[in-house]
Amino acid sequence: MKWLNIDKSDRLLLIVFVLAVLLGPVIMTPIGGGYPDLLQKFAIFGVFAIGFNILFGLTGYLSFGHAAFLGIGSYTAVWAFKLLTMNVVPAIILATVMGGVFALAIGFVALRRSGIYFSILTLAFAQMSYNLAYSVLTPITNGETGLQLRQHDARVIDGLFGVERTDALPTTELFGLSMSGWSGYYVCGVVLIITFFISLRIFRSPFGMMLRAIKSNQNRLSYTGVNTRPYTLAAFVISGMIAGLAGGLMAATDPLAGAERMQWTASGEIVLMTILGGAGTLVGPVIGAGVIKYFENIFSAFNHDILLNVFSFLPEALQQAAATFFGLFVGEGWHLTLGALFMLIVIFLPGGLMEGVNRILNMIRRRSSSSGPPAPAPAADASVKAGE
Amino acid sequence: MSILSVKNVNKRFAGLQALDEVNIEVEAGIVHAIIGPNGAGKSTLLNCFVGRLMPDTGSVTFNGISLLGKSPHEINQAGVSRVFQTPEIFGDLNLLENVMIPTFARRDGAFKINAWSAVSDENDIEAQALSSLEDVGLIDSARVTASQLSRGDKRRLELAMCLVQQPKLLLLDEPTAGMARADTNNTIDLLKTIAEKDITMIIIEHDMHVVFSLAERISVLAQGTVIVEGLPDEIKGHPKVQEAYLGGAKL
């Protein structure tokens, strides 16, 4: 009996992943990212990216409207806080379920087409959700203000358990554990680990193999006796559920939901994260999510004065020039950095950051094998295994 | 007994009668070749067998079941496998995975969510896939990515993918198209060993060397109709065939 039914190399990967999540604060503090709000974002977007990758990385279907499920998850979670309880468990479960329900409906229609038409259909659905949230659905979404908690919300379950009402807004919690600060990060971290484990199992399963076959050659797969539609739909629903889960977590750590979460830029961001990290690899999307959120935080916080400080070792004229030039890439302009980084990666490492990691690993392996006996280097297998 | 029966099939494309009252009976267990000049309607006919095209009128029945209106995966599940003119394989996956996928499809049917079991536990499926790779002589490259194979080896892989499903009928669309002579001869030898396994084969082919090395019965298609059908020896010297297919040249 294998432990958790996963192979030895995957077990190592899982252990490293768990350690990285648990030691997140320790790892991130030296590079200026060691505060809970940012790490919560890492974990939440990591979950989102893992879900997106199950669709895009495995089947190759590029959804350009995944943020819609994130938004739906957030609205559902906030409503759960308002109507049921401030405990995050029902909120997160309902957010996941609603993400799945919407994914089933949208996927049923959008998956009739593939390639660019599929992307456009999903984009259209997401933009429709976004606009509806601002217009006719205002009673549910509270329009531009966003959906917020009130002192007088029903909170039926809390009422049953006799939770006292105070004048202050209630805060989200997990059986007494606060969802803000470090405890909030660890709740998100545990969800990230569980999602990662699910993704690992899917990647290694016959189901995952079929999804990769869809990406590789859908035509051959149908002539092999496989009905591809339900497979893509299943992947789409799983992916939508995980996006809903991420949306629920977002609301759990910060209980308000706005429609801007569903905008196309948000959908584009998750595509960037996945490609940047390495679509179709297990950990790549999580790394991509981390890198983008990290850059967003670090670079957008820079301003002219900080830059002047950084370049204070230069003569004054150069100092000004350097600060002005690099000023373009930070603060409001941090998207310029992101764009440049993204272009570099796509041009030089089409497989994302994970391809870079693999190349380095292969180089080390080759160097160590040249001193010892020649190691068998099954190129394809090595890249697949190590890449994940 | 005929395994595939094509009756009065017509197919018209905007002003062109691609198939005109085609009748073909394919006997079980033999290699049946469909030959004909370019544009005779061979590929159109094949596409009617596998659910890609719907004939305007007529019937195509396999083992007594109509194939018309069925989707490609249903036709495959009924026992018909197809080899494409350009080998259709899973280029991003390794050879073993390429063959394991059809093995899963045979065992699990057209759709099954087994997302919680591990591929590495499927020893039975893996053994079947490996033995199929061995049959076509690709066992040594089981872990190679399929897109790296030569044209001839891709064809071998595609055949392994079809054979692992133990089809009752195997359709081959120009199996040696674009191959070097040595590859062509190797493929012919491989197809001969397959023919001994009680699998009915329909071959659509240009190359007369291939046709006469393999076929036990030949239908000649010209301008959408079957002009002659018979044993290879009968076809070889038939004046009608020489006129339509070879333009009068001696074979």
Side-chain angles (χ1 to χ4, degrees), chain A residues 2 5 7 201 204-207 209-210 212-213 216-217 219-227 230-231 234 380, chain B residues 52 73 76-77 82 84 88-92 97 102 105 110-112 114-117 119-121 145 158 165:
Chain A
K2 284 191 293 183
N5 199 18
D7 288 337
R201 291 297 299 266
R204 300 287 182 251
S205 70
F207 175 70
M209 194 186 239
M210 290 298 177
R212 283 192 291 144
S216 186
N217 191 342
N219 191 36
R220 170 37 91 194
L221 193 60
S222 29
Y223 282 97
T224 298
V226 174
N227 191 0
Y231 279 100
Chain B
R52 182 174 274 188
H73 71 263
N76 174 282
Q77 290 287 350
R82 172 177 185 178
F84 287 79
E88 292 268 349
I89 52 172
F90 304 113
D92 308 324
E97 291 170 319
F111 175 64
K112 184 178 180 191
N114 36 10
W116 213 242
S117 61
V119 170
S120 51
D121 287 341
T145 306
E158 203 184 18
Q165 296 194 312

Side-chain angles (χ1 to χ4, degrees), chain A residues 6 8 34 56 66 78 146 149 156 164 169 173 176 178 180 184 210 227 234 247 292 298 303 306 341 358 362 387:
Chain A
I6 51 176
K8 212 171 155 191
F56 176 56
H66 245 53
V78 175
L149 299 180
V156 181
E164 255 180 70
L169 269 183
E173 45 90 28
S178 167
S180 57
M210 290 298 177
N227 191 0
I292 288 186
I298 302 302
N303 57 31
I306 298 180
L341 178 76
N358 279 331
N362 282 340

Side-chain angles (χ1 to χ4, degrees), chain A residues 269 272-273 276 288 291-293 295-296 299 329 333-345:
Chain A
E269 193 181 43
L272 289 189
M273 286 172 177
L276 186 77
V291 167
I292 288 186
K293 284 293 148 193
F295 273 41
E296 181 182 86
F299 285 102
F329 292 88
W334 84 273
H335 280 107
L336 202 56
T337 317
L338 177 64
L341 178 76
F342 189 72
M343 281 170 64
L344 285 176
I345 300 258

Side-chain angles (χ1 to χ4, degrees), chain A residues 166-350:
Chain A
T166 55
D167 284 343
L169 269 183
T171 53
T172 50
E173 45 90 28
L174 177 74
F175 305 112
L177 197 65
S178 167
M179 279 300 290
S180 57
W182 288 117
S183 55
Y185 165 67
Y186 279 107
V187 173
C188 296
V190 168
V191 175
L192 176 65
I193 291 169
I194 295 171
T195 316
F196 181 76
F197 176 66
I198 291 172
S199 156
L200 178 68
R201 291 297 299 266
I202 290 177
F203 266 66
R204 300 287 182 251
S205 70
F207 175 70
M209 194 186 239
M210 290 298 177
L211 297 184
R212 283 192 291 144
I214 287 174
K215 181 182 188 177
S216 186
N217 191 342
Q218 189 163 357
N219 191 36
R220 170 37 91 194
L221 193 60
S222 29
Y223 282 97
T224 298
V226 174
N227 191 0
T228 56
R229 274 285 295 287
Y231 279 100
T232 48
L233 188 59
F236 195 80
V237 170
I238 292 170
S239 167
M241 286 173 79
I242 296 177
L245 169 67
L249 278 179
M250 225 176 243
T253 53
D254 182 12
L256 60 96
E260 76 288 341
R261 222 165 257 182
M262 306 207 267
Q263 215 180 352
W264 68 271
T265 46
S267 297
E269 193 181 43
I270 193 67
V271 179
L272 289 189
M273 286 172 177
T274 309
I275 293 177
L276 186 77
T281 64
L282 270 168
V283 289
V286 183
I287 292 174
V291 167
I292 288 186
K293 284 293 148 193
Y294 175 75
F295 273 41
E296 181 182 86
N297 265 267
I298 302 302
F299 285 102
S300 64
F302 273 49
N303 57 31
H304 195 71
D305 290 340
I306 298 180
L307 281 177
L308 282 178
N309 261 333
V310 170
F311 294 110
S312 58
F313 60 92
L314 293 170
E316 198 177 331
L318 278 176
Q319 183 191 2
Q320 280 293 347
T324 309
F325 176 73
F326 285 103
L328 293 173
F329 292 88
V330 297
E332 294 274 288
W334 84 273
H335 280 107
L336 202 56
T337 317
L338 177 64
L341 178 76
F342 189 72
M343 281 170 64
L344 285 176
I345 300 258
V346 169
I347 294 167
F348 294 106
L349 295 171

